Amino acid sequence: MVEESIMGANERRKLTRREALSTAGKVAAGVIVAGIAGGVAGYFAGSATAPTTTVTETRRETIATTIISTKTVTVSPTVTAPPPVVGKECIVKLRPGLYFADGTPLTAHDVVRSIDRVAKIEGDPAWFVLDFLDDWKALDDNTVKFTLKEPVAFFPALLAVPTYFPVHPAYKPDEIDSDQTAGGAGPHKIIKWTRDVELVLESNPYWFAGMPKTKQVIVKFYKDATALRMALEAGEVDIAWRTLRPTDIQDLKKKEGIEVLEAPGGAIRYIVFNMHIPPFDDPRVRKALAAALDRKAICEKVYLGTYEPLYSMVPMGMWSHKDSFKEKYGDRNLELARKLLEEAGYSSSNKLKIELWYTPTHYGDTEVDVATMIKQQWEEIGMVEVELKSAEWTTYLDYTRNRMLGASLYGWYPDYIDPDDYTSPFVNEAGRWLGNAYVSEELGKLLVEARTKTSIEERTTLYERIQDIWAEDAVIVPFAQGKLEIAYRKGIKGVVLDPTLLLRYWLIYKEEGGRIADRIIIGVTDKVTDLDPANAYDFFTWEILNNIMTGMMRYIPGTTELEFGLAASYSLV
Amino acid sequence: MTSLKVFVIARLLLVIPTILLLVSLVFFIMRVMPGDPVIAIVGMKAPPERVLELRKALGLVDESGNPIPLPIQYLNYLANLFRGDFGRSLIWGKRPVLVEIMEHLPATIELAIAGFLVSIILGVALGTLGGWKGGKTNSAVKIYSAITYALFIPWIGMMFQLLFAVWLKVLPVGGRIDPGLEPPMITGLYLLDSILTGRWDSFVSALRHIILPSLTLGLVISGIFSRVARTSVEEVMRQDFVIAARARGIPEHRLVIHVLRNAFIPIMTMMGLQLALLMTGAILTETTFSWPGMGTFLFERIEYRDYTTVQGTVVFFAIIISLINLVVDILYAYIDPRIRY
């Protein structure tokens, strides 16, 4: 049976959350089962546990027309069933005939050299390599063998992180090369780079997936969101991207000639109750406060709709997401909150007195409003008195690490797109940066198990269980998930947003007088911090790197699904 | 030794403790600020070895990881500074701070010169007019001075952007030049470089981009100049030589030159002082107009808690302003011999 659908990139982004969930659930975190290029056999997690397996193969028939062809086929599983847990060895075969943007051939040795650099330089993102790998070597010109420290099912997702991208030999071998413009094997190449001013990209004729539609993409840097918004209105830029203010977005939605696109992002907000600090050592107190939260009000009144209510640490749009907090506490349940507090010995005459900490600028200037609204919501229980306290980011971190904050507000951006990244770093020893606020032996075991299972179904079951325990413990309480918002002038096509937070420039084009324009200008207020993947560690810079380089794996635009990038096949044994 | 030479030497010697005091202030303020800068830079999830590495880079601990006493840190810092070593950035490739400063300095100099010209032309012309004509004109200039001096740069900048860029679409919202039109680098000042290389398209683009920021900056500072020029001209106008000149029938256009020459000393003093304000004003102007100069650079590095760069840039600013004041004082002494005694 073959079902084939052709859709434009703009249509693709209109996937509903349910659709995104269902498609993401099939193949997220590296579950494409067969080699795309040349039909090389290989498998990812979950590939062979069912009698038949769904394969989503995404091909760009012609990148020039930004048409994405999604073909769903039913195939037989691999002959030998894989072990129930992932192994420590991973073999990646590269596509044949790969080149860097200047025509230099790209081989497995370049992959190894690039990862060697990361390990030698030990920049901020080096942990993506050093924490997971024992060894990496080229078996021949087209094959790389990775030896993992511990088996992890989401290793393919790590291969989509820029830290693993092969870089041009021009990069300095053992030191950070922040302004190096040689790039890698991506859809674009840099032809001009003036830090903080502009980045000019041109199509890379050697890219394995064809030519981007727009010949030249200029990224123009603005210092201020208001200036960026005016630049869009004045027609100085075609697209206003990261990051417009919520009020600007609201205004731009009403402007003629401007379109605003929204999609769920990967950023989440949450409250941390340190379970070692009274009164938060009492689960009834934590549950009562969790039950009294009105997430919708926070998202609508403070964030003006730029955030959505979130009821789980695993964000909406990601496979295994479950609204565990909603199932347990409802949208808002003041009665339950009162009951729990009464059980804990509090009353309207003997109120629970707590401090809620926030940091005033790190999460934007709305933070004081977020804290104030949470205080109001908790005080509406009638048995709680909240004192708001704030500290600048550096002090806030000190206090948190030193276990001085009972209740505090925090936020999280993903490092890699997998439920593991939204759960493991907060619990037990990994959560020391939160003052070890959340300690749970049961959760620790489940998280390790979920990391190592090959079957996506099994992993989903485990993460659903983890989310339920999370809601039951109510130590870390998620409340909002950021939306991605982008505004562009009419005539711009091919803009795709998804929780990976990446904008793919190679899909974007502008129709002008019946023809496709040679150039588009994207305005941003974010910075390109470092053109060296060995040191780059922020989402906007990763976006640029994704446009001038390609990983062995990459995400299918509009989803959190992985597909092969420079790799032709992958096997984890 | 002439009195001017003595004055210059004395003034030069005074620069040393001034700079030392500024440098010390910056150093100690950066260290008494609350919070751990290292954790702020590397983030909460950083492994201990990364934290230690950064502490070493900041000169906070020695090779064995033992804390270095503050006085020793201070002496090390001064010794490096004396060698022209402003340190290395803690972020983005850890480039030398001085290199980063030099990359951003030409943009600020260009904007400062343009803004300064606008402020002098507007301020001195209106101030002279008010002081000369008196009456309602004088009152109008007084009001102009008060209003422009009180203007908040981001607000007036935004108004100009709305009017000229969004509504009239005649000037750009921000930036320094259109993409692809940068002239070959000679001085780093785009207007000058485009003239020197005959790139007229670049010149026009650079000129269009500098109009709004220089007008914004110049307008705010012109309020001070117009006030000083007006009171100074008024004062000179009351002097006997002006009354005598008028009595002799000397034409007004010739008289104004004599009046301005006499009124110029306080204006020039103010120019020296305003150069410092121009630098701080440039931070706001540059941020509003996305002008890639020292102001935005400093602002951005404060946001990223790049301590060595912030420290180096503030010290650099302090040295530059001390030197500007030195030059102004010397010029002042040259023009008015009474200063030397």
Side-chain angles (χ1 to χ4, degrees):
Chain A
M1 185 186 73
V2 174
E3 296 166 21
E4 188 165 50
S5 66
I6 307 272
M7 56 179 119
N10 270 349
E11 287 170 284
R12 175 134 196 143
R13 66 170 157 73
K14 287 176 186 164
L15 281 173
T16 63
R17 185 177 306 143
R18 180 172 292 184
E19 286 166 337
L21 267 169
S22 66
T23 53
K26 286 177 195 164
V27 286
V31 288
I32 303 167
V33 292
I36 287 172
V40 183
Y43 68 88
F44 286 165
S47 63
T49 52
T52 57
T53 307
T54 302
V55 181
T56 297
E57 177 183 319
T58 299
R59 290 174 306 174
R60 274 175 199 87
E61 298 291 351
T62 338
I63 288 296
T65 52
T66 67
I67 296 294
I68 295 172
S69 160
T70 303
K71 182 196 274 183
T72 306
V73 292
T74 305
V75 296
S76 300
T78 44
V79 178
T80 314
V85 292
V86 291
K88 284 189 171 183
E89 284 190 358
C90 167
I91 307 285
V92 174
K93 276 205 174 288
L94 298 181
R95 292 169 189 266
L98 291 172
Y99 297 94
F100 288 108
D102 64 349
T104 306
L106 189 161
T107 67
H109 303 286
D110 292 300
V111 174
V112 170
R113 173 182 51 79
S114 302
I115 299 173
D116 282 344
R117 285 187 77 243
V118 171
K120 272 187 218 158
I121 289 169
E122 285 196 81
D124 292 342
W127 68 272
F128 284 111
V129 169
L130 301 175
D131 283 13
F132 292 99
L133 293 184
D134 259 342
D135 189 34
W136 51 94
K137 61 184 172 196
L139 299 182
D140 56 44
D141 281 356
N142 278 324
T143 314
V144 188
K145 180 181 165 189
F146 296 97
T147 308
L148 277 65
K149 285 186 171 161
E150 297 295 335
V152 281
F154 53 83
F155 186 64
L158 294 179
L159 295 180
V161 170
T163 319
Y164 282 87
F165 288 0
V167 296
H168 191 277
Y171 276 78
K172 292 172 192 165
D174 47 16
E175 57 182 292
I176 299 167
D177 209 350
S178 295
D179 293 309
Q180 177 56 257
T181 54
H188 298 278
K189 58 180 178 177
I190 297 175
I191 58 163
K192 186 159 181 271
W193 161 235
T194 313
R195 189 175 276 280
D196 304 337
V197 180
E198 64 179 8
L199 175 70
V200 183
L201 305 175
E202 259 186 19
S203 307
N204 169 16
Y206 295 98
W207 192 39
F208 69 88
M211 288 286 277
K213 182 81 164 190
T214 305
K215 191 180 166 201
Q216 194 176 73
V217 176
I218 296 172
V219 182
K220 204 169 168 185
F221 300 92
Y222 288 83
K223 307 294 172 196
D224 175 73
T226 310
L228 174 59
R229 177 217 160 138
M230 284 195 278
L232 179 71
E233 288 185 73
E236 250 175 63
V237 298
D238 300 301
I239 298 170
W241 180 215
R242 304 164 72 108
T243 307
L244 290 166
R245 292 194 186 97
T247 45
D248 289 327
I249 291 285
Q250 298 305 320
D251 285 349
L252 287 170
K253 280 179 182 170
K254 297 171 201 155
K255 297 268 176 192
E256 261 189 49
I258 306 268
E259 288 185 47
V260 174
L261 174 67
E262 294 177 336
I268 63 166
R269 298 301 317 275
Y270 54 91
I271 304 168
V272 178
F273 297 124
N274 194 313
M275 62 190 287
H276 306 290
I277 300 175
F280 305 106
D281 54 345
D282 185 339
R284 292 168 299 188
V285 169
R286 299 195 302 262
K287 286 177 191 177
L289 296 174
L293 267 185
D294 185 349
R295 294 168 170 82
K296 277 184 188 162
I298 297 170
C299 294
E300 283 166 16
K301 292 179 184 163
V302 180
Y303 288 124
L304 301 176
T306 56
Y307 273 73
E308 290 183 284
L310 179 66
Y311 298 89
S312 166
M313 287 301 277
V314 178
M316 294 173 284
M318 181 170 279
W319 60 276
S320 84
H321 165 84
K322 190 180 180 205
D323 286 333
S324 297
F325 276 85
K326 194 171 189 173
E327 286 170 16
K328 184 148 188 66
Y329 306 102
D331 258 342
R332 192 186 192 206
N333 192 340
L334 285 179
E335 280 312 306
L336 176 64
R338 287 188 192 110
K339 185 172 163 281
L340 287 164
L341 285 182
E342 275 168 7
E343 282 173 19
Y346 299 99
S347 64
S348 51
S349 54
N350 174 34
K351 288 186 175 177
L352 167 71
K353 291 181 182 168
I354 54 171
E355 290 176 348
L356 173 63
W357 284 80
Y358 68 96
T359 185
T361 54
H362 188 76
Y363 296 112
D365 50 15
T366 49
E367 196 64 358
V368 62
D369 299 327
V370 172
T372 306
M373 183 158 274
I374 292 173
K375 168 189 159 77
Q376 285 168 1
Q377 291 175 0
W378 284 348
E379 288 183 342
E380 279 167 23
I381 302 172
M383 298 180 187
V384 183
E385 218 173 89
V386 182
E387 189 184 350
L388 288 184
K389 292 207 164 180
S390 69
E392 278 302 331
W393 181 237
T394 48
T395 315
Y396 197 66
L397 293 178
D398 271 353
Y399 289 173
T400 305
R401 274 199 169 188
N402 295 327
R403 285 193 184 178
M404 292 161 70
L405 310 188
S408 50
L409 301 181
Y410 268 97
W412 185 259
Y413 280 91
D415 293 308
Y416 46 91
I417 309 298
D418 190 272
D420 180 79
D421 192 51
Y422 286 92
T423 47
S424 289
F426 301 89
V427 184
N428 297 338
E429 189 46 33
R432 66 182 182 278
W433 58 279
L434 282 178
N436 292 100
Y438 196 0
V439 176
S440 165
E441 202 178 321
E442 183 189 10
L443 211 53
K445 280 180 188 162
L446 286 171
L447 285 167
V448 170
E449 200 181 341
R451 278 182 153 212
T452 50
K453 290 284 181 189
T454 53
S455 153
I456 196 74
E457 288 80 9
E458 277 185 284
R459 290 193 75 204
T460 300
T461 308
L462 285 166
Y463 282 116
E464 283 174 352
R465 173 86 188 110
I466 287 165
Q467 288 168 83
D468 286 342
I469 295 172
W470 207 282
E472 174 63 29
D473 290 346
V475 177
I476 296 176
V477 181
F479 64 90
Q481 179 178 349
K483 278 189 205 166
L484 291 175
E485 281 156 328
I486 189 166
Y488 48 86
R489 296 184 71 80
K490 281 223 163 84
I492 291 288
K493 310 277 183 198
V495 178
V496 183
L497 294 181
D498 57 51
T500 63
L501 310 174
L502 304 169
L503 185 65
R504 281 79 166 184
Y505 304 161
W506 68 90
L507 296 175
I508 303 173
Y509 62 100
K510 179 167 71 174
E511 283 179 344
E512 228 173 31
R515 56 179 284 277
I516 288 166
D518 285 340
R519 184 170 94 166
I520 54 166
I521 302 180
I522 301 170
V524 294
T525 58
D526 278 16
K527 306 272 168 251
V528 174
T529 53
D530 209 310
L531 289 173
D532 189 341
N535 200 44
Y537 198 16
D538 63 277
F539 271 99
F540 182 61
T541 306
W542 278 9
E543 172 179 306
I544 296 295
L545 294 178
N546 268 280
N547 281 287
I548 60 167
M549 301 172 181
T550 309
M552 284 164 274
M553 303 300 296
R554 59 179 189 164
Y555 291 97
I556 298 171
T559 73
T560 53
E561 300 168 34
L562 283 165
E563 63 177 351
F564 290 114
L566 300 179
S569 74
Y570 169 104
S571 62
L572 195 55
V573 290
Chain B
M1 196 182 286
T2 64
S3 60
L4 184 62
K5 275 185 185 167
V6 173
F7 177 82
V8 170
I9 291 167
R11 190 64 188 77
L12 268 173
L13 289 173
L14 204 61
V15 167
I16 297 167
T18 309
I19 291 177
L20 193 65
L21 186 69
L22 285 166
V23 167
S24 308
L25 272 175
V26 173
F27 177 87
F28 287 107
I29 286 172
M30 298 291 286
R31 271 144 188 86
V32 296
M33 287 196 318
D36 185 341
V38 176
I39 297 297
I41 294 161
V42 298
M44 298 171 291
K45 293 180 275 177
E49 53 273 26
R50 173 88 180 103
V51 173
L52 180 65
E53 182 199 321
L54 196 60
R55 286 196 200 289
K56 282 181 196 167
L58 274 171
L60 302 175
V61 297
D62 61 21
E63 280 306 309
S64 330
N66 300 317
I68 299 174
L70 198 61
I72 305 293
Q73 286 182 34
Y74 176 63
L75 290 176
N76 290 341
Y77 177 67
L78 284 185
N80 288 336
L81 213 57
F82 190 69
R83 288 195 297 266
D85 180 1
F86 281 67
R88 281 178 172 267
S89 166
L90 297 175
I91 56 172
W92 308 348
K94 298 159 181 67
R95 304 167 77 213
V97 172
L98 201 58
V99 171
E100 300 230 48
I101 289 173
M102 289 307 168
E103 278 177 4
H104 291 83
L105 192 60
T108 297
I109 290 176
E110 190 167 49
L111 177 59
I113 292 171
F116 203 52
L117 285 176
V118 171
S119 67
I120 288 177
I121 292 167
L122 277 176
V124 175
L126 288 173
T128 307
L129 190 71
W132 187 268
K133 295 275 183 190
K136 282 182 182 170
T137 313
N138 196 7
S139 303
V141 173
K142 268 186 198 172
I143 294 169
Y144 169 87
S145 305
I147 291 176
T148 50
Y149 190 56
L151 283 175
F152 184 48
I153 287 177
W155 180 82
I156 187 68
M158 210 185 294
M159 292 302 111
F160 280 150
Q161 285 171 322
L162 265 178
L163 178 64
F164 293 105
V166 178
W167 294 340
L168 299 176
K169 298 191 192 301
V170 290
L171 292 170
V173 170
R176 211 177 153 202
I177 200 162
D178 286 316
L181 287 180
E182 291 84 354
M185 168 95 169
I186 299 173
T187 62
L189 310 180
Y190 283 176
L191 284 169
L192 187 59
D193 288 353
S194 51
I195 291 171
L196 292 174
T197 54
R199 293 277 301 269
W200 299 111
D201 51 348
S202 300
F203 179 78
V204 172
S205 177
L207 189 64
R208 288 181 72 244
H209 280 81
I210 206 170
I211 289 174
L212 290 185
S214 59
L215 191 62
T216 305
L217 187 57
L219 196 66
V220 174
I221 294 174
S222 73
I224 302 159
F225 285 129
S226 63
R227 188 187 171 87
V228 173
R230 186 180 56 76
T231 50
S232 188
V233 168
E234 264 182 338
E235 209 172 286
V236 176
M237 290 289 285
R238 284 196 293 269
Q239 286 182 16
D240 293 345
F241 85 91
V242 177
I243 299 164
R246 276 186 166 153
R248 283 186 199 128
I250 292 175
E252 294 286 294
H253 70 270
R254 280 185 60 195
L255 186 58
V256 75
I257 295 168
H258 294 285
V259 169
L260 271 182
R261 192 177 289 165
N262 280 276
F264 200 66
I265 288 175
I267 297 173
M268 212 182 105
T269 312
M270 194 48 74
M271 283 181 189
L273 292 172
Q274 289 313 302
L275 271 170
L277 190 70
L278 207 65
M279 291 289 183
T280 50
I283 293 179
L284 294 172
T285 316
E286 287 180 5
T287 310
T288 308
F289 289 95
S290 304
W291 190 265
M294 293 288 290
T296 44
F297 172 66
L298 181 61
F299 181 74
E300 174 191 287
R301 295 308 171 94
I302 290 170
E303 280 187 312
Y304 280 92
R305 294 176 176 79
D306 184 359
Y307 285 78
T308 47
T309 305
V310 172
Q311 186 170 270
T313 310
V314 173
V315 166
F316 186 82
F317 263 128
I319 293 170
I320 291 289
I321 288 168
S322 299
L323 294 177
I324 288 171
N325 282 334
L326 170 72
V327 172
V328 171
D329 281 357
I330 292 170
L331 279 175
Y332 197 19
Y334 180 75
I335 291 169
D336 186 353
R338 288 172 298 179
I339 304 296
R340 304 173 214 165
Y341 298 101

